[in-house]
Amino acid sequence: MRSLLQSCSGSDTGRSVDAALVVERAGGRSVLRRQQIRYPLHITRGFYLDATRPDLLTLYLQSASGGLYAGDRIRLNVDVGRGAAFHLTTQAATVVHAGRNSGATQRQRVYVEPGGFCALTSDAYVLFPDADLTLETDAVVADDAVLCLADGFAVHDPRKSDREAGVRPFKARPFERFEGRLAVSRPDGRLLLKDLGAIDGNELHNGALGPWAAAANLLLIAPQARWPARQELEQAADRNGALGGCSVAPNGAGLILRILAPDGGTLARAMDAAFHVAAAAALGVALARRRK
């Protein structure tokens, strides 16, 4: 592991990191066949948490640097082999610091071979004042494979409260921009869907999401027989204090759940509940809770 200076210094232009994980089925379970991980990324040892799916490998992706900084360019390739089952999640929310006119970009390339199951579920990205983050995902999924993607954002201004700072009224400083780009295709190159969206901090402050201050998407790409009921996904979000709306993805590729929440904690609970509904339908068994 090679340590780099954090990009909070004035002369630092950010970090360019290429990472890769290859998961294959061997000996009756899924194993991490190859890994390329560099600072600031770190992964735990593999966990097998599910008695009902003992072949399912779970890894926690961690940040050793305190979040994403201006100029960061993080690229992660994930390959899930034939018949393998893999869940990659984060250990906690990721703080996104001020973009300083260069922003941060996190790119994922995902390939899921026939019969494979891949879930990439990130806790919310916490956008600090002037944060500028772009998320890009390019996924290739076999016809009978399953891909579950979940990510979202919440906003936070770490400045002291109005009483502590002597400022009345206190008004949170906005983030700069949050943008998501997603493309999913089949191995033969057939495009299934593209999902593009962006929001500026000022738009959020001016009511673009109404009273909500956090948002997330959960995408399930799977054969229709392995979909949960759309109402179940929506109720999973609603029961946790969020607002969920589910629709069928283009080309009947799967389901898309949009979640709005008042804060990051509520969003995290709603995302977790929705993931477990989606995973239970796709795998046919209920998964254990992922402790964080």
Side-chain angles (χ1 to χ4, degrees):
M1 179 181 293
R2 183 167 64 93
S3 296
L4 303 177
L5 292 175
Q6 293 184 353
S7 59
C8 55
S9 63
S11 61
D12 195 358
T13 58
R15 301 159 296 193
S16 181
V17 177
D18 289 292
L21 299 171
V22 177
V23 176
E24 296 178 355
R25 187 174 180 87
R29 65 179 187 174
S30 303
V31 298
L32 185 60
R33 182 67 73 190
R34 184 171 68 85
Q35 62 172 296
Q36 176 187 332
I37 297 292
R38 291 177 50 204
Y39 181 88
L41 301 179
H42 173 73
I43 58 169
T44 63
R45 67 176 179 86
F47 293 95
Y48 297 90
L49 302 173
D50 305 285
T52 53
R53 281 300 302 256
D55 62 315
L56 174 59
L57 171 65
T58 298
L59 289 179
Y60 290 86
L61 183 66
Q62 300 174 323
S63 171
S65 69
L68 293 170
Y69 294 84
D72 280 357
R73 302 292 182 262
I74 310 295
R75 293 172 293 273
L76 174 64
N77 292 344
V78 177
D79 290 270
V80 177
R82 182 180 296 268
F86 179 50
H87 180 202
L88 180 67
T89 188
T90 51
Q91 90 285 8
T94 299
V95 171
V96 185
H97 298 272
R100 294 189 293 145
N101 298 318
S102 59
T105 301
Q106 188 153 304
R107 295 184 174 92
Q108 297 179 137
R109 188 198 64 81
V110 187
Y111 195 100
V112 191
E113 294 188 16
F117 171 86
C118 178
L120 306 180
T121 60
S122 298
D123 290 271
Y125 293 89
V126 180
L127 305 179
F128 275 25
D130 297 322
D132 182 352
L133 175 63
T134 298
L135 301 179
E136 298 182 2
T137 301
D138 187 1
V140 177
V141 185
D143 289 0
D144 64 344
V146 174
L147 173 65
C148 183
L149 296 173
D151 59 52
F153 73 88
V155 297
H156 177 66
D157 187 344
R159 190 168 62 181
K160 295 179 180 180
S161 70
D162 55 348
R163 176 174 295 182
E164 293 171 329
V167 178
R168 290 184 177 80
F170 172 76
K171 185 175 182 180
R173 297 165 293 169
F175 64 93
E176 181 67 27
R177 184 175 174 83
F178 179 86
E179 183 172 353
R181 306 172 189 167
L182 168 67
V184 182
S185 59
R186 294 299 188 198
D188 62 4
R190 178 165 51 98
L191 181 67
L192 292 179
L193 66 91
K194 277 192 174 182
D195 189 49
L196 309 174
I199 187 169
D200 292 340
N202 286 325
E203 292 175 339
L204 182 67
H205 275 235
N206 292 331
L209 298 182
W212 311 100
N217 294 325
L218 184 145
L219 171 69
L220 178 68
I221 302 295
Q224 188 171 356
R226 301 171 74 177
W227 297 359
R230 285 189 284 171
Q231 187 178 21
E232 287 185 61
L233 281 173
E234 292 172 345
Q235 289 176 345
D238 296 349
R239 282 194 300 267
N240 286 277
L243 177 65
C246 188
S247 60
V248 176
N251 297 304
L255 298 176
I256 301 176
L257 176 69
R258 314 286 191 185
I259 303 173
L260 295 174
D263 52 61
T266 301
L267 185 69
R269 292 187 292 273
M271 290 174 67
D272 181 65
F275 162 69
H276 281 275
V277 169
L283 294 172
V285 296
L287 297 185
R289 292 293 170 184
R290 273 54 180 155
R291 295 183 178 182
K292 299 186 179 182

